[in-house]
Amino acid sequence: MNENDSFRLTRPVEAEVIGEHTAVTLPAGTTVTVVLVFGDPVSPEAYEVEAYLPETNTYALATIPAREV
């Protein structure tokens, strides 16, 4: 995975709404976009992902371990 790649979550993930510091749970099946790759790009440790929340017209960020993608 590289920055700007998109994928669907296979399990629910805890995230934080940008600018609100509000915790939300992104359900399995949510489409997310990679915004940051942590560690060596060839063998990353984790990904920072962003999801659009249409019900509130906001975005949320979550960190997902690479082994779970």
Side-chain angles (χ1 to χ4, degrees):
M1 293 296 234
N2 297 304
E3 291 179 8
N4 298 316
D5 285 349
S6 295
F7 64 95
R8 290 185 185 268
L9 298 175
T10 58
R11 65 170 184 82
V13 172
E14 292 297 314
E16 186 174 294
V17 177
I18 296 172
E20 295 181 12
H21 305 290
T22 303
V24 294
T25 300
L26 304 175
T30 300
T31 299
V32 296
T33 301
V34 176
V35 294
L36 185 62
V37 178
F38 291 102
D40 181 356
V42 175
S43 182
E45 294 179 30
Y47 298 99
E48 183 87 351
V49 298
E50 176 184 73
Y52 176 64
L53 308 174
E55 62 277 358
T56 57
N57 195 34
T58 58
Y59 289 85
L61 291 174
T63 302
I64 300 174
R67 67 183 180 282
E68 294 182 15
V69 173

